[in-house]
Amino acid sequence: MTRVAVLGPSGRMGRAVIAAATGRVDLEITAAIDRAGADGLGAEIVPGVRVGTDLGHGLDACDVYIDFTTPAATRAAAIAATPRMRAAVIGTTGLTAADDEASAALVQVAPVVLAANFSLGVNLVLGLVRQAARVLGPDWDAEVVETHHHAKRDAPSGTALALARAIAAGHGSDYERVKRHARDGDIGPRPRGEIGVSTVRGGDVVGEHVATFFGAGERVEIGHRATSRTIFAAGALRAAAWVVGKPPGRYDMLDVLGLA
Ligand code: NAD
């Protein structure tokens, strides 16, 4: 039985993870840690487990922690998990270079699954987009459009960035040199090989991503629509059950799904 600590249990994803874990026989939630002042502190989310704020206690009580929180909280958790050599499943997006450093230290001593998107469909789409970019080449203008609910804080979404990087990989280009995250004013003609990423925010949209390749006289669209957070939660639990006992290192969902 894999013991799981959930960080951010009162959040949209934290609640989805707890709901998806209900009834599973291969893992159990043994800790739930949120920030001071969060909704739901003290609530009993499963029998015998109440939401608390003691991160060290939560990490000591689990084999793996699942983290869908904020970049600052994810950094703090990775720093606390490193001396404990604790396995992790990290889904927080919008991570900065400093946050990446904290998780880079953790992956030296523990197995960690990091994914901007835990759905099977999106991970399939990542492979398809890369293949399309390789076949079509940079003469086909590539653009990614993402749409999310109005409470989402980071932009572009981590999944949109992963898709754009998959296109760059297919083109054999350096994403940092060809990316275009916003357009405004007199922008001139579109440079060959540029990869555009556009953000739309509104309502309660769980997550939509479309990669379009514009050719001369035709276009190819490859997209994904999430209609429920259950897909991300189920993927994160699958990753948690998979990652415990693996050698230290950084893994992604393609590793978990056996598609790497
Ligand atoms: P949310 O705002 O609903 O929830 C965030 C939770 O983190 C809250 O419970 C908050 O109190 C908690 N939190 C904040 N600081 C904390 C701390 N120091 N310690 C513990 N908990 C803390 O957000 P959400 O919609 O659930 O999304 C969370 C993150 O997951 C975002 O970065 C989002 O982009 C990402 N996300 C990833 C995937 C994926 O598949 N990888 C899918 C959906 C969302």
Side-chain angles (χ1 to χ4, degrees), residues 6-15 33-39 52-53 55 67-74 76-77 90-95 114-119 148-149 151-154 157-159 206 229 231-233 236:
V6 177
L7 306 192
S10 60
R12 280 172 287 266
M13 277 307 302
R15 290 195 305 267
I33 307 300
D34 217 312
R35 65 179 165 79
D39 290 344
T53 57
L55 177 61
D67 181 351
F68 289 96
T69 57
T70 64
T74 294
I90 300 174
T92 309
T93 58
L95 300 177
L114 275 145
N117 198 303
F118 282 93
S119 95
H148 282 86
H149 57 90
K152 184 168 175 63
R153 300 181 66 136
D154 56 312
S157 71
T159 303
V206 173
R229 287 181 180 82
I231 54 168
F232 309 130

Side-chain angles (χ1 to χ4, degrees), residues 71-85:
T74 294
R75 183 167 70 240
I79 290 169
T82 299
R84 295 175 167 85
M85 296 187 283

